[in-house]
Amino acid sequence: MRKSNYDKYPCTGVSGPVWRGWEEIVGKLASEGTGVIAVELYPGAYVDEIKNALASMAGVSSVTDTRSLMKSEEEIRKMTDYFMTDDVLFGHVAPFVMMDFFDNDKVCAWKPSEDGVSVVIGCGAALVAGDDALLVYADMARW
């Protein structure tokens, strides 16, 4: 009988600091003392839970969800319609970049708070927040 090579407890080693739990995470981010924090998320992460935790952080004066800066669903559908097919898995390669999905007027109108830390969270947060922002990648298991 063949022995299984299935790993019931897979893990990935990482180097550098890792923080667990909101108290540790929020404490570390608060100690950075930066004016803008950009939080990019793994797809499926609990956005609202992360937003609420960061909003409770001392010194945070604004939290902006990148979904509020995106084009409307109707605009995005119009923009991407040509590249879609009747097959749910396959379409055509599209020439879009992330910023194409943002409403330029909304992004240009966004400004970091002058008194406290501004948090930008969601897909494309680093693009909106700018090069001087503290970049955070949040990945949360969904189970």
Side-chain angles (χ1 to χ4, degrees):
M1 176 182 231
R2 184 174 158 251
K3 183 179 177 192
S4 172
N5 63 355
Y6 179 76
D7 185 356
K8 291 182 184 178
Y9 307 102
C11 66
T12 302
V14 295
S15 60
V18 175
W19 303 282
R20 289 175 40 177
W22 289 124
E23 191 172 313
E24 273 187 50
I25 294 167
V26 167
K28 179 60 181 168
L29 292 176
S31 73
E32 292 296 319
T34 184
V36 181
I37 299 174
V39 183
E40 290 282 352
L41 302 171
Y42 183 82
Y46 296 131
V47 179
D48 292 333
E49 182 179 334
I50 299 169
K51 276 182 8 185
N52 291 339
L54 295 176
S56 70
M57 193 169 78
V60 169
S61 55
S62 69
V63 177
T64 303
D65 188 324
T66 58
R67 293 176 291 189
S68 70
L69 303 175
M70 299 259 178
K71 291 179 178 175
S72 69
E73 180 180 349
E74 183 180 330
E75 289 175 283
I76 291 173
R77 284 189 184 275
K78 278 186 197 174
M79 189 172 90
T80 59
D81 188 53
Y82 173 79
F83 301 95
M84 304 304 289
T85 67
D86 292 333
D87 189 309
V88 296
L89 293 177
F90 298 100
H92 300 285
V93 175
F96 305 115
V97 295
M98 179 63 72
M99 284 306 291
D100 293 336
F101 295 91
F102 283 93
D103 182 314
N104 193 51
D105 292 336
K106 291 178 183 177
V107 172
C108 288
W110 181 84
K111 301 284 184 237
S113 175
E114 292 180 16
D115 58 339
V117 176
S118 295
V119 175
V120 182
I121 183 169
C123 190
L127 295 172
V128 173
D131 294 338
D132 293 334
L134 172 65
L135 180 57
V136 175
Y137 176 69
D139 184 359
M140 294 174 51
R142 296 177 300 277
W143 51 84

